Amino acid sequence: GEGSRRVVKTTKAKNEEFWNWRVYGEIRYSYMHDSGSPGYRWNDSRWRFRMETVKAITDNWRFRALVESDTSRLSGDDAEKVHNSRKGKLKLSRLYGQGSYRWFNRPVAVEAGKAYAFLGDGNVLDTTFEGIKLAIKPTDSSMVYAGIGDVDDEERMQFAEAVYRRSRLDYLGGYYHWHNYGQPTSIYGGGGRYYLGNYMLGGMYLRANRADGSGDKDGFALTLRYGRNYSWVPGTYEMALSYYDLAGETYISHTMFGMGNRMNGFSGWGLKGYYTLSPTVMVGMHYYDVKDSTDGRRARTWWNEITFSF
C-alpha cells in the first residue's frame, strides 16, 4: 500500500556493499533431439543468454530483475510451431521486489512482482509467477509458502504449500488452484523425501478435481537421486532417475525437458545428470521416454547443456 511505498522511498540500507548494484550473467548452449510418434520429431540447437541484477532498496527490501534472450535453430516435424518465441530478442523475464520481515518473531520473506515459482517439487509448476508470494517459517523445522498471481499467459492462480523436516525425512503437502483457460482446476498434492548418505528417495502424489482425456484425475512421480550438484562448486555432481505417471490436469508446467507438458497426461521414465567443471562451467544431460496417457503417442528426448556463468 501507500505506507509501504513511503517506507521504501525513505529508508536507506545500512550496509554500503549490499547497497551497490550486483550483476550476474549466464550463457547456456543446449542441444535437444526428439524422436518417437509423429509430432514429436525435431532437433533444437539453442543459445540462451541471461543477465540478472540485484540492488538493495532498504534494509528489508531488494530489487531484482532478469533479462534474457533465446535463439533456436529448429529442424524436423512442425519445427516452426515449437518454441516460436525463441528469435533472439531480449525480454524482461523477472522484475520484482524481495523483502524480509519478522511476524510474531518468526521470519517472513515476501516477493512481489514478476518472479518465479517451483511448486510440488517441480511436478506442478516450474515457471514465471507474477503476483505476491510469501514464505513463512512457523518453526525451525517447517516452512509455509503461499501466493496469488498469474501463470501461463495471465491465468489466475493461488497456492499454499507446507514443508516439514524431521531427521532424514522431508514431508510436503500443497493445494494449487488455477483458472486453466476457463476450466478452473484444483490440484492437491502430498509427498516426501528420504535421505540416506549420498542418496535421496522422493515421491509425490497429485490429484486434480477434473479428469484428463483418459478419464484419470491422479498420479505420482518417484525419484532416486545420487549425489548433489552445486553449479559453483567444482567436482560436485548428481544423477537422478525418475518415473512419472501423471494425469493431465495434475500439472501446469512440469519441470522436465521432455514432452510431458505437451501431452494430456503422461507416463514414463526420466534420467538426468549434472557435473560442475569449474566455478563458472557446468554440464548437464537429460533423457526422457514418455507416453501420452490419452492418445498413446510416445516421445523420446535427449537433452544436453553446457552453461557458462559470470
Side-chain angles (χ1 to χ4, degrees):
E2 188 61 35
S4 299
R5 286 193 289 271
R6 281 199 299 270
V7 169
V8 168
K9 290 179 181 178
T10 58
T11 305
K12 292 185 178 180
K14 297 175 182 177
N15 187 324
E16 290 299 323
E17 182 180 352
F18 183 63
W19 177 259
N20 295 331
W21 287 97
R22 289 176 290 166
V23 179
Y24 310 91
E26 176 187 283
I27 298 174
R28 185 181 76 184
Y29 172 76
S30 62
Y31 178 78
M32 181 175 70
H33 173 71
D34 288 289
S35 61
S37 302
Y40 295 125
R41 300 170 183 167
W42 60 72
N43 300 320
D44 186 357
S45 177
R46 175 184 174 193
W47 287 94
R48 187 184 73 180
F49 169 77
R50 282 183 164 181
M51 289 291 292
E52 181 178 9
T53 184
V54 184
K55 189 182 190 306
I57 303 172
T58 74
D59 287 341
N60 296 326
W61 278 90
R62 305 179 196 179
F63 165 82
R64 306 186 74 105
L66 180 130
V67 294
E68 66 179 335
S69 69
D70 278 335
T71 304
S72 289
R73 293 187 175 180
L74 294 160
S75 61
D77 293 354
D78 300 324
E80 293 302 318
K81 299 178 183 178
V82 184
H83 309 316
N84 56 12
S85 63
R86 295 178 182 169
K87 303 295 184 181
K89 295 182 179 179
L90 281 174
K91 67 176 182 178
L92 185 64
S93 297
R94 309 278 189 270
L95 183 65
Y96 62 99
Q98 193 176 55
S100 59
Y101 295 94
R102 296 193 72 83
W103 184 40
F104 292 103
N105 204 33
R106 303 307 303 178
V108 179
V110 183
E111 289 184 357
K114 189 175 184 180
Y116 161 83
F118 184 86
L119 302 176
D121 207 16
N123 291 297
V124 175
L125 186 75
D126 180 11
T127 190
T128 299
F129 183 91
E130 190 167 359
I132 297 175
K133 297 191 301 173
L134 300 176
I136 306 168
K137 194 170 186 179
T139 68
D140 291 341
S141 56
S142 63
M143 287 290 294
V144 176
Y145 304 91
I148 181 170
D150 294 335
V151 296
D152 202 11
D153 298 327
E154 300 184 353
E155 294 300 298
R156 202 66 174 163
M157 180 183 184
Q158 305 89 37
F159 71 86
E161 191 173 84
V163 178
Y164 177 70
R165 297 178 173 89
R166 182 180 179 182
S167 184
R168 294 176 178 174
L169 280 168
D170 290 348
Y171 303 93
L172 183 149
Y175 168 74
Y176 320 91
H177 180 83
W178 70 304
H179 188 255
N180 197 2
Y181 301 92
Q183 298 289 335
T185 303
S186 296
I187 304 168
Y188 308 86
R193 290 182 168 190
Y194 178 73
Y195 301 89
L196 182 62
N198 215 22
Y199 291 89
M200 185 281 297
L201 177 62
M204 186 85 187
Y205 171 78
L206 294 164
R207 183 173 179 83
N209 68 328
R210 300 177 59 245
D212 64 11
S214 68
D216 288 339
K217 292 184 177 182
D218 60 358
F220 63 92
L222 300 173
T223 297
L224 175 64
R225 189 185 73 206
Y226 177 75
R228 189 62 171 155
N229 177 254
Y230 299 95
S231 61
W232 64 94
V233 181
T236 58
Y237 63 91
E238 68 180 70
M239 294 192 67
L241 176 67
S242 298
Y243 180 77
Y244 311 97
D245 189 350
L246 294 171
E249 300 296 342
T250 60
Y251 53 93
I252 302 170
S253 178
H254 199 280
T255 191
M256 67 158 50
F257 285 103
M259 292 295 107
N261 284 310
R262 298 182 173 274
M263 295 178 172
N264 192 2
F266 67 93
S267 62
W269 296 90
L271 176 67
K272 64 181 179 180
Y274 291 99
Y275 184 80
T276 299
L277 296 168
S278 76
T280 58
V281 181
M282 184 188 72
V283 293
M285 179 277 297
H286 291 229
Y287 178 77
Y288 298 96
D289 185 345
V290 293
K291 182 176 69 173
D292 192 304
S293 302
T294 300
D295 61 24
R297 292 195 302 159
R298 184 178 294 277
R300 300 176 184 88
T301 300
W302 183 271
W303 189 91
N304 303 274
E305 72 161 288
I306 180 167
T307 300
F308 306 89
S309 57
F310 55 92

